[in-house]
Amino acid sequence: MLQRMCACLGDITQIPVDVIVNAANPSLMGGGGVDGAIHQAAGPTLLAECKLVRQQQGECPPGHAVITGAGNLPAKAVIHTVGPVWHGGEQHEADLLAEAYHHSLELATANDYHSISFPAISTGVYGYPSAEAARIAVATVNRYVTRRGHPERVLFVCFDASTLALYQQCLADLAAHKSL
Ligand code: AR6
């Protein structure tokens, strides 16, 4: 299933896929980082849809995910997931980060979206160490696509070269059957 996953350098708002994953916060009301970039590129309909979801479901806790349309983005939908804030690793951060990826993939499967792009969730404002976060991202996605055979294509979009190198190393380790 490894060929389904790849990593690239770029701006996640510019890359066409079926569904883009946003690293949101529990309010779903937008923010900085990739959340800000996604709302900016999508236009105001995205925030309007997020407000509706928020009214219907309340806040989105860490590890959970919700889905909306994609406004002007080159995608059919946006999955908003909330990663954990890094507190040193003793507060279930690894489990919550894995759940954020897993629940995003479940929503993509439920809506029959075949390609999905992920940013490096939690590694910006939320302070999760990048190497450990990349390992969890690749291991969680690999486990999911191996079991479910879906989605067909998973793209890890990295915003800087050092993050890309971390993902490439994880993917190479997986190809060499090394445990992550
Ligand atoms: N495309 C791809 N990756 C990006 C982009 C982009 N356009 N912009 C930033 N990144 P962050 P978090 C990378 O802080 O840590 C928001 O305010 C960035 O380099 O966006 O999960 C939310 O509202 C980093 O590697 O998300 C929350 O309050 C990664 O995306 C909070 O930040 C994630 O960084 C969430 O924090």
Side-chain angles (χ1 to χ4, degrees):
M1 293 301 156
L2 186 61
Q3 68 280 6
R4 292 175 189 269
M5 293 191 284
C6 67
C8 71
L9 192 62
D11 176 350
I12 203 165
T13 67
Q14 303 295 312
I15 301 170
V17 283
D18 284 347
V19 60
I20 294 171
V21 176
N22 181 20
N25 61 65
S27 79
L28 300 172
M29 291 298 103
V34 72
D35 195 7
I38 284 173
H39 275 274
Q40 173 80 32
T45 59
L46 188 65
L47 185 58
E49 285 195 51
C50 285
K51 283 182 175 162
L52 213 58
V53 171
R54 172 75 194 271
Q55 275 168 17
Q56 290 164 349
Q57 303 184 23
E59 289 209 331
C60 183
H64 289 238
V66 301
I67 191 163
T68 64
N72 299 323
L73 287 163
K76 297 171 184 162
V78 174
I79 290 171
H80 308 260
T81 191
V82 179
V85 176
W86 179 255
H87 289 295
E90 302 294 319
Q91 297 190 29
H92 307 290
E93 291 96 327
D95 292 340
L96 289 169
L97 187 61
E99 281 175 27
Y101 282 94
H102 186 85
H103 285 138
S104 297
L105 290 163
E106 281 189 329
L107 271 180
T109 297
N111 288 276
D112 204 27
Y113 291 133
H114 298 289
S115 58
I116 184 168
S117 60
F118 283 99
I121 298 165
S122 281
T123 64
V125 174
Y126 281 1
Y128 207 112
S130 294
E132 181 60 9
R135 194 189 65 76
I136 290 169
V138 172
T140 305
V141 171
N142 182 58
R143 208 159 35 239
Y144 186 94
V145 298
T146 301
R147 285 182 189 160
R148 308 281 187 101
H150 192 273
E152 280 164 23
R153 204 163 68 86
V154 180
L155 190 57
F156 297 106
V157 182
C158 305
F159 212 42
D160 57 75
S162 58
T163 303
L164 177 63
L166 292 170
Y167 275 88
Q168 285 174 332
Q169 186 61 55
C170 289
L171 292 168
D173 286 349
L174 209 56
H177 303 290
K178 291 184 191 162
S179 60
L180 290 177

